[in-house]
Amino acid sequence: HIRPTEAQPTCQQSSAISPFEFESFNTYYPNSMSTVSSNSGASRPGILGWSVYVPSMYVSQEELEAFDGVSAGKYTKGLGQENMAFVDPAEDIISMMLSATQQLIERTGINPLDVGRLEVGTETLVDKSKSTKTSLMRLFGENSDIEGVDTINACYGGTNALFNCLNWMSSSAWDGRYAIVVTGDIAVYEPGPARCTGGAGVVAMLVGPDAPVEIDITAPRATHMEDVYDFYKPDLNSEYPKVDGHLSNACYLRALDRCFATLARKTEARTKTAFNINDFDHFLFHQPYAKLVQKSHARLLFNQHKLSKNVDPRLDDFVALAEEETYGNRDLDKLIAGIGAQDYKEKVFPGTYLCRQVGNMYTGSLYAALVSLVSEYREKLDGQNALMFSYGSGLAATMFQAKFNQQSQVTLDTLADQADLKNLISERVIAKPEEYSETLELREKTYGQFPISVEKPRNVRQGAFFLAGVDNLGRREYNRAFSTSTMRSRRAFGMRRPLSTMIRLLRK
């Protein structure tokens, strides 16, 4: 079902590296790992390569404030967000994951035959039975011997997918081949206070041995799960979730508290030394919006003080409060934010870059933070570590550790170059809030409907996949765009195609 579109002359040349014209890094990757002895599993497994796909269209949060009629700074200063990505009507989660995975294969230069596991983490569904992973199999040619399917639990699915790959690679079942994790979502909300926290994006990661970003699954980690309805999607005819914002924030912080306590207990039992978060060089969090990340870092400081009374004596008065009383306590929040300001600037804020520009990627947001951190510090991360916190509503959460090694078979500099965040973000088309709103209205009308005919999009990145249509049996067909001429000319001359003409519902 993949039919390449005919290449067209480029209207305007750009010196920026296009996502699908990137230099291959195949000199770093063995042509075949199938001969590797795997009786004892892989050595230092982790992330060997990655790619990030975000839609080419975005809306300014500052302009969205004016459009929504809210006070200036509510989204930008209040939530810490700058821009929000949204998808062209011809894109869906499958097309985005196809784009990210194909880009990963091309940028690393790996042979698709050398992939033995492919795991997907997403909560954005287009089918209640067929996994998105199976739709990605078209990229692997004759290689059908690839284990793994989708993992679904709100924003946690990507972490579980990564753990599945790492556990496989660390076991005697590993056959010496690479694994790939693809994680991301399209985050949309009905009109109201939550709509500004949307976004869209996908991170695809190549997992293998001797990695520059090692995810040490033998190190202590902590998980917290419980049954709660803070964010859920019971209406199968709608993309929109049911959200209890206050409850969701409380659940997030409670999960953070529980994971901290469990990790401290497990670490002290393993090492026989006192646990201290100052032993970590960086902190990465699931990021619905940037201000929650800042609050999460402050929460770690508060937990550390409750554990050891070694952060700041001014926190003593708050330690005796009931846990629920500390959530949303402005005096406590202000005090800890001041105490941890410098650490936040150096150890946390660099990891918020991509999500501040793109918005919430749901399952992909934690790994977008990891990409942002590596892109910022590159080889300076050598020998350092990071504490990572993954959260998915409903709820599931895990706190785990990553280590950075420049002397790996693939360097941290290589990973930063592969991500190419500067060009990824700069090569986008800004849309007015009216167009963003109209796009979501159109998605709402066509969601789950078929047959659908989709006109060729003008805003999809070069080399990206897009939805060509859905037939009368609900089967989806995708094409691939090989020219940037239409997107660049649209940006250069301010052209706007009416969204209502881009998707046409066919009558049976």
Side-chain angles (χ1 to χ4, degrees):
H1 288 162
I2 300 176
R3 299 197 306 269
T5 56
E6 184 178 354
Q8 301 176 4
T10 299
C11 176
Q12 180 180 350
Q13 297 297 325
S14 170
S15 60
I17 301 176
S18 137
F20 292 85
E21 294 173 341
F22 206 90
E23 175 188 0
S24 172
F25 292 89
N26 59 350
T27 55
Y28 299 101
Y29 300 90
N31 289 330
S32 176
M33 296 176 64
S34 58
T35 59
V36 175
S37 175
S38 58
N39 292 333
S40 59
S43 168
R44 295 195 305 105
I47 300 168
L48 281 173
W50 51 30
S51 69
V52 181
Y53 180 83
V54 299
S56 63
M57 297 181 69
Y58 74 99
V59 63
S60 161
Q61 290 282 10
E62 185 176 3
E63 291 186 6
L64 200 58
E65 289 171 345
F67 178 76
D68 289 344
V70 302
S71 58
K74 184 171 183 178
Y75 303 158
T76 50
K77 295 181 180 178
L79 298 179
Q81 296 299 109
E82 297 179 27
N83 298 302
M84 178 170 54
F86 67 99
V87 295
D88 185 282
E91 290 189 274
D92 63 11
I93 192 59
I94 293 177
S95 69
M96 290 170 60
M97 288 193 162
L98 283 168
S99 298
T101 306
Q102 180 65 31
Q103 180 175 272
L104 175 70
I105 293 171
E106 292 178 359
R107 289 192 176 183
T108 60
I110 61 168
N111 187 335
L113 293 174
D114 292 327
V115 176
R117 193 173 192 94
L118 172 62
E119 295 268 354
V120 169
T122 187
E123 63 172 273
T124 306
L125 305 181
V126 298
D127 193 287
K128 291 183 287 186
S129 176
K130 178 177 168 62
S131 72
T132 300
K133 180 267 178 77
T134 60
S135 295
L136 302 183
M137 287 301 298
R138 65 186 69 193
L139 301 178
F140 293 88
E142 298 179 355
N143 182 13
S144 63
D145 181 23
I146 302 179
E147 296 182 358
V149 285
D150 294 5
T151 296
I152 301 173
N153 187 91
C155 304
Y156 185 81
T159 294
N160 202 73
L162 177 60
F163 287 168
N164 286 347
C165 290
L166 292 169
N167 288 332
W168 171 70
M169 195 161 285
S170 300
S171 74
S172 59
W174 182 50
D175 62 6
R177 293 185 292 168
Y178 296 112
I180 292 177
V181 176
V182 189
T183 181
D185 284 283
I186 299 170
V188 290
Y189 296 86
E190 63 185 354
R195 175 161 280 194
C196 61
T197 62
V202 171
V203 180
M205 298 174 281
L206 182 68
V207 180
D210 301 317
V213 180
E214 177 189 358
I215 309 297
D216 187 0
I217 61 172
T218 66
R221 70 175 186 258
T223 292
H224 174 72
M225 298 199 181
E226 62 177 274
D227 180 14
V228 63
Y229 284 90
D230 59 324
F231 171 110
Y232 54 106
K233 297 178 179 178
D235 186 353
L236 301 182
N237 296 313
S238 172
E239 283 190 290
Y240 298 145
K242 304 293 183 184
V243 185
D244 185 331
H246 293 294
L247 176 60
S248 189
N249 284 341
C251 288
Y252 183 104
L253 295 177
R254 182 169 67 246
L256 185 73
D257 290 349
R258 299 292 186 274
C259 286
F260 176 94
T262 302
L263 183 64
R265 174 175 51 81
K266 287 184 175 180
T267 301
E268 290 176 353
R270 174 85 63 89
T271 65
K272 309 302 180 184
T273 59
F275 179 80
N276 193 327
I277 61 168
N278 289 324
D279 293 335
F280 294 97
D281 302 296
H282 303 278
F283 301 92
L284 303 171
F285 302 88
H286 168 59
Q287 182 175 321
Y289 52 91
K291 274 300 174 70
L292 185 57
V293 170
Q294 186 174 13
K295 183 175 288 189
S296 299
H297 174 249
R299 193 75 191 177
L300 288 181
L301 293 175
F302 183 59
N303 277 285
Q304 179 64 44
H305 192 74
K306 287 199 299 182
L307 178 69
S308 302
K309 298 291 195 303
N310 62 348
V311 175
D312 192 297
R314 291 175 292 174
L315 294 173
D316 290 346
D317 293 339
F318 297 95
V319 171
L321 294 177
E323 186 178 67
E324 293 296 329
E325 293 182 65
T326 63
Y327 300 148
N329 187 309
R330 293 187 178 183
D331 292 334
L332 176 59
D333 290 345
K334 184 178 180 180
L335 176 59
I336 310 180
I339 293 171
Q342 189 60 37
D343 274 357
Y344 175 77
K345 180 180 179 180
E346 297 174 358
K347 298 183 176 183
V348 184
F349 184 74
T352 68
Y353 170 74
L354 193 52
C355 284
R356 282 186 286 114
Q357 297 297 329
V358 173
N360 195 351
M361 295 166 62
Y362 283 171
T363 57
S365 73
L366 176 63
Y367 302 96
L370 181 60
V371 173
S372 297
L373 178 69
V374 173
S375 297
E376 173 68 19
Y377 286 120
R378 303 173 71 95
E379 78 282 353
K380 295 178 183 178
L381 291 172
D382 186 31
Q384 298 184 357
N385 61 9
L387 185 63
M388 303 178 67
F389 177 68
S390 179
Y391 176 85
S393 292
L395 64 80
T398 296
M399 191 174 285
F400 59 105
Q401 306 174 41
K403 300 176 182 178
F404 303 103
N405 180 17
Q406 175 75 350
Q407 309 307 317
S408 173
Q409 59 173 313
V410 180
T411 67
L412 293 163
D413 291 312
T414 299
L415 289 185
D417 290 340
Q418 285 177 348
D420 193 29
L421 291 191
K422 181 179 179 180
N423 288 320
L424 179 74
I425 296 303
S426 65
E427 286 285 294
R428 295 192 296 172
V429 179
I430 189 168
K432 293 296 183 182
E434 292 82 0
E435 186 173 0
Y436 163 71
S437 180
E438 186 181 349
T439 301
L440 264 60
E441 290 177 6
L442 184 59
R443 289 184 64 86
E444 183 177 344
K445 292 177 182 178
T446 59
Y447 179 75
Q449 302 295 313
F450 60 86
I452 292 177
S453 175
V454 184
E455 293 189 17
K456 183 179 178 180
R458 293 192 174 190
N459 294 309
V460 175
R461 295 177 184 272
Q462 179 185 16
F465 291 84
F466 61 90
L467 179 66
V470 187
D471 70 14
N472 59 358
L473 295 178
R475 297 174 297 191
R476 309 175 84 82
E477 183 177 354
Y478 296 87
N479 287 344
R480 192 178 180 193
F482 287 102
S483 173
T484 58
S485 59
T486 53
M487 189 184 83
R488 285 175 176 156
S489 63
R490 186 175 192 266
R491 183 176 62 246
F493 301 108
M495 296 168 57
R496 287 284 187 266
R497 169 187 275 186
L499 290 170
S500 57
T501 68
M502 297 195 69
I503 292 186
R504 180 165 54 91
L505 197 63
L506 299 182
R507 293 183 178 180
K508 296 182 180 180

